[in-house]
Amino acid sequence: MERAQIESYIGKLCAQAGENEEFYRSFCENLFADEGICRELVYYMENGTFACREKVEGYTVVDVMIWQIDHFKAWLDRDTSGTGSNSGRMLLLAFDTLLKMKKDPAQYVLKMQSETGTDYEGKFK
């Protein structure tokens, strides 16, 4: 897939998400610098589903998205962010978070393991 097609898709996601030009440029720069995560987004664009081949500390973009959905549940009642009802924003932020995780995985792993309403084995140890 050509870079221009990917940039156009990202532009549409940014518009849907209410993100500005600065976010768009930064996201594109980070995405094209990471071949694996870029392939994940292209796979999603082409198939409408996730390949989940690229992992950061064992987490995929789907794991990030689930964490974000769980994390944003508290906001759904008041939903001032608009994220809970904006699937494009959720997708964009999941890929953005995965890109950021590559640079600082420990920070995001800690958040994903501690900022959740879901109880899992070992959470309270």
Side-chain angles (χ1 to χ4, degrees), residues 81-100:
S81 70
T83 302
S85 60
N86 188 328
S87 61
R89 182 167 174 78
M90 289 299 297
L91 178 66
L92 186 63
L93 292 181
F95 276 101
D96 187 54
T97 299
L98 194 64
L99 287 164
K100 290 175 181 173

Side-chain angles (χ1 to χ4, degrees), residues 60-99:
T60 67
V61 70
V62 172
D63 295 315
V64 172
M65 187 172 264
I66 290 168
W67 167 71
Q68 287 178 335
I69 290 168
D70 192 39
H71 187 36
F72 292 129
K73 279 181 188 175
W75 292 338
L76 288 178
D77 288 337
R78 56 186 186 269
D79 201 7
T80 58
S81 70
T83 302
S85 60
N86 188 328
S87 61
R89 182 167 174 78
M90 289 299 297
L91 178 66
L92 186 63
L93 292 181
F95 276 101
D96 187 54
T97 299
L98 194 64
L99 287 164

Side-chain angles (χ1 to χ4, degrees), residues 12-49:
K12 290 174 186 173
L13 283 178
C14 284
Q16 182 181 352
E19 294 294 346
N20 61 25
E21 182 71 20
E22 182 180 340
F23 179 92
Y24 167 79
R25 283 193 308 267
S26 175
F27 182 85
C28 285
E29 180 182 325
N30 291 330
L31 181 70
F32 292 117
D34 191 300
E35 189 177 315
I37 295 177
C38 187
R39 274 193 312 266
E40 289 287 325
L41 181 61
V42 169
Y43 185 90
Y44 182 85
M45 290 171 61
E46 293 175 340
N47 298 287
T49 190

Side-chain angles (χ1 to χ4, degrees), residues 54-60 63 98 101-102 104-106 109 113:
E54 188 68 17
K55 296 179 182 178
V56 178
E57 298 291 317
Y59 292 96
T60 67
D63 295 315
L98 194 64
M101 272 181 85
K102 277 263 183 120
D104 186 7
V109 169
Q113 291 178 351

